[in-house]
Amino acid sequence: MDTQNLMEKIVALCKRRGFIYPGSEIYGGLAGTWDYGPAGSLMKKNLKDLWWKEMVQVRDDVVGMDSAIMMNPKAWEASGHLEAFTDPLVECKICHQRFRQDKQAEIEEHERTHKDQKVEWTEAKQFNLLVKAYLGVVEGKQSEIFLRGEITNGVQVNFKNILDSTRVRIPFGVAQIGKAFRNEITPGNFTFRSREFEQMELQFYIKSDPEEGKKWFDYWKEERMNWYTSLGIKKENLRFKDHEKLSHYAKAATDIEYQTPWGWDELMGIHNRGDWDLKRHGEFSGQDLKYRDPFTGEEYLPWDIETSAGVDRSFLFFLIDAYTEEDGRVLLKLNPKLAPFRAAVFPLLANKPELVEKARKIYLDLKQNFMIAWDERGNIGKRYAAQDEVGTPYCITVDFQTLEDDTVTIRDRDSAKQERVKISDITSAIR
Ligand code: ATP
């Protein structure tokens, strides 16, 4: 399948089946924003819940938090975002469209659109990505603030609060999921680069020691890679890519990249941030953010190993990886834990009240434990096809035999094979 074609198919499927719609579509849209529909919001929630379970619930060295999107602007000064959260912006002198100078492929593609004209570019200027907002109720005296450009700062400024209100000890982590905003120069590739998106991050605080730094950096690299493959992304579509040029805050940085239809591109990052954040927030706030070892009494600023993943990029790559065309079918081979619905329930015929009643009961019972879809329109083949495209792993059909022996058919999405199962065994079968 050619790659342009594949992305077009995925975008169309997302709209058709209620995964993702263009933001504010009836008003002509708003570049770089997307709305998750009924199926998409379910899958996104599953994705975040699975991440949270793995990162917080089953571990005893990580706590969670949920910090405000709006922060005192000093926090952004301290973290270096006011100065350095920039991308190099260049403008085409022919049509005045703006691009990121560091995205060579996009620059070349644009140059080709001008055919035989020679494109000249303006000098690159550093463009700050923070989105501004204004707070206050008196016109003219409102204060300028920033919507967070990443969710890290909300955790860093609460380091002391977390130490004082929980029993965590180094090494420990703080996990958070939430929205971030960036005035991206060129949003694009569907949700891959958006202006509003969600991140899921872990800040893992360790002893300020290079060996510890290396140990935990390597540990979290493997953990995050394994998470994606355990949920079904094909191993050959993922790789580590070390940063050649480190950000102002980093001592080491690696990305996990995904082989997208447009080439290898960043899924998430793992960074050794050293003591950059705590040091700067300590200096700018005048607060002592040092950690005191309860056993040795030693005081130091811990280092932070960060894992930072985009919820939307993870979502998109799970979708792309699951997209399959097989035997005339289009299906999403999503891991059942990620799929919007665990199962769908159908009465074989919509005009037979005894079938509908029986199916309705099964549907409502299963809904107590799983997200379950209901469909009684059209013929059964069309219903299967619709569920395949949403990635529903199991379709349960109530037919005439059900009325006799209390069994139903369960159809498996990937093999399209059916099996007869007792109604009382459905829950364990789909679990
Ligand atoms: P890129 O170079 O692709 O713009 P980045 O290196 O600036 O990304 P980070 O600041 O490391 O990204 O952000 C961590 C993660 O947040 C990224 O790996 C990505 O998954 C997600 N992310 C960052 N920017 C965006 C965006 N504009 N849209 C969607 N997800 C994003």
Side-chain angles (χ1 to χ4, degrees):
M1 207 180 318
D2 84 67
T3 54
Q4 171 80 11
N5 212 343
L6 173 61
M7 278 316 285
E8 276 168 17
K9 285 178 177 175
I10 284 177
V11 173
L13 183 143
C14 280
K15 174 120 196 262
R16 181 165 79 243
R17 296 295 175 197
F19 281 96
I20 301 173
Y21 315 122
S24 317
E25 193 181 14
I26 62 168
Y27 290 104
L30 178 69
T33 66
W34 300 93
D35 296 332
Y36 287 75
S41 59
L42 289 173
M43 177 165 150
K44 198 182 194 197
K45 182 169 184 307
N46 290 343
L47 172 66
K48 291 191 282 182
D49 287 351
L50 285 163
W51 187 90
W52 193 264
K53 182 172 179 195
E54 163 127 346
M55 292 301 243
V56 184
Q57 187 184 323
V58 303
R59 298 189 68 99
D60 70 351
D61 57 356
V62 176
V63 293
M65 71 167 292
D66 184 5
S67 67
I69 286 175
M70 300 188 290
M71 297 181 76
N72 187 313
K74 265 199 170 167
W76 299 109
E77 199 185 333
S79 59
H81 282 77
L82 290 193
E83 208 180 309
F85 195 52
T86 56
D87 279 332
L89 180 151
V90 290
E91 191 175 304
C92 165
K93 287 192 180 170
I94 301 173
C95 67
H96 304 291
Q97 245 182 288
R98 294 167 164 208
F99 290 88
R100 262 173 74 171
Q101 191 195 34
D102 56 339
K103 296 283 165 193
Q104 198 52 34
E106 289 171 29
I107 296 268
E108 283 168 15
E109 194 181 314
H110 182 73
E111 286 178 346
R112 280 195 292 276
T113 65
H114 287 296
K115 300 214 168 71
D116 30 49
Q117 280 174 290
K118 167 114 182 69
V119 175
E120 285 186 41
W121 296 95
T122 57
E123 284 282 305
K125 74 167 193 220
Q126 290 304 321
F127 177 78
N128 196 295
L129 303 182
L130 285 177
V131 175
K132 287 180 186 156
Y134 299 90
L135 267 192
V137 290
V138 182
E139 202 63 51
K141 286 203 177 155
Q142 290 172 317
S143 53
E144 181 183 271
I145 59 153
F146 306 96
L147 301 184
R148 62 184 178 194
E150 49 158 56
I151 64 172
T152 319
N153 255 346
V155 171
Q156 309 289 6
V157 302
N158 280 293
F159 178 72
K160 206 83 203 158
N161 277 335
I162 290 168
L163 280 183
D164 293 345
S165 58
T166 68
R167 301 179 52 180
V168 291
R169 296 282 172 262
I170 296 271
F172 74 92
V174 185
Q176 167 157 257
I177 301 179
K179 290 267 187 179
F181 304 82
R182 294 183 189 178
N183 204 355
E184 295 284 358
I185 298 168
T186 46
N189 285 326
F190 198 22
T191 56
F192 176 81
R193 182 164 288 106
S194 310
R195 289 185 167 141
E196 173 177 340
F197 55 97
E198 235 173 325
Q199 294 183 308
M200 30 194 197
E201 289 195 346
L202 173 73
Q203 310 303 325
F204 196 79
Y205 297 103
I206 59 165
K207 263 197 109 166
S208 51
D209 170 67
E211 258 175 48
E212 283 285 293
K214 167 122 184 37
K215 179 178 102 188
W216 286 107
F217 186 75
D218 291 345
Y219 170 84
W220 283 112
K221 270 173 64 177
E222 291 307 317
E223 284 288 301
R224 299 330 300 139
M225 180 65 100
N226 292 342
W227 188 71
Y228 285 103
T229 53
S230 73
L231 283 174
I233 294 206
K234 296 170 201 84
K235 278 202 173 80
E236 64 270 24
N237 286 338
L238 292 169
R239 71 174 188 194
F240 291 115
K241 177 89 190 296
D242 290 341
H243 284 204
E244 280 155 23
K245 193 169 153 261
L246 291 175
S247 301
H248 59 278
Y249 58 77
K251 286 186 183 301
T254 299
D255 288 338
I256 295 181
E257 291 191 334
Y258 179 74
Q259 186 159 37
T260 75
W262 59 91
W264 287 97
D265 217 337
E266 175 176 337
L267 162 60
M268 65 166 299
I270 300 111
H271 315 120
N272 178 348
R273 301 179 71 103
D275 63 6
W276 164 265
D277 301 88
L278 294 179
K279 191 159 136 237
R280 296 277 291 193
H281 286 304
E283 281 165 17
F284 279 69
S285 67
Q287 307 277 322
D288 179 7
L289 299 184
K290 283 205 263 335
Y291 174 80
R292 188 166 187 281
D293 188 299
F295 303 110
T296 63
E298 187 192 353
E299 288 195 354
Y300 59 93
L301 281 174
W303 283 10
D304 172 23
I305 307 297
E306 168 187 69
T307 74
S308 175
V311 173
D312 311 80
R313 282 191 194 176
S314 304
F315 184 110
L316 178 62
F317 297 155
F318 276 119
L319 267 192
I320 294 175
D321 221 70
Y323 184 90
T324 310
E325 292 180 4
E326 213 169 73
D327 305 328
R329 294 196 292 154
V330 172
L331 61 158
L332 293 182
K333 289 189 174 174
L334 289 169
N335 183 304
K337 291 181 192 160
L338 270 177
F341 299 97
R342 180 59 64 94
V345 177
F346 314 144
L348 182 65
L349 298 169
N351 57 4
K352 295 281 176 221
E354 62 278 31
L355 293 183
V356 175
E357 200 185 314
K358 192 98 187 165
R360 212 61 214 158
K361 171 143 192 345
I362 294 171
Y363 166 68
L364 293 173
D365 280 352
L366 290 176
K367 268 172 87 71
Q368 300 302 315
N369 291 311
F370 308 97
M371 274 311 300
I372 303 289
W374 170 265
D375 198 354
E376 56 179 30
R377 301 161 308 167
N379 66 43
I380 198 96
K382 279 210 178 121
R383 295 184 215 158
Y384 285 152
Q387 294 304 325
D388 283 346
E389 284 199 2
V390 185
T392 308
Y394 309 107
C395 289
I396 299 162
T397 303
V398 168
D399 56 17
F400 292 102
Q401 192 179 326
T402 314
L403 303 177
E404 284 163 23
D405 64 3
D406 268 345
T407 62
V408 293
T409 62
I410 299 188
R411 172 191 177 267
D412 176 81
R413 176 195 65 201
D414 298 348
S415 66
K417 294 226 168 67
Q418 295 180 25
E419 213 185 303
R420 277 210 93 85
V421 170
K422 282 209 206 92
I423 291 178
S424 54
D425 292 339
I426 298 176
T427 296
S428 57
I430 67 175
R431 183 166 272 141

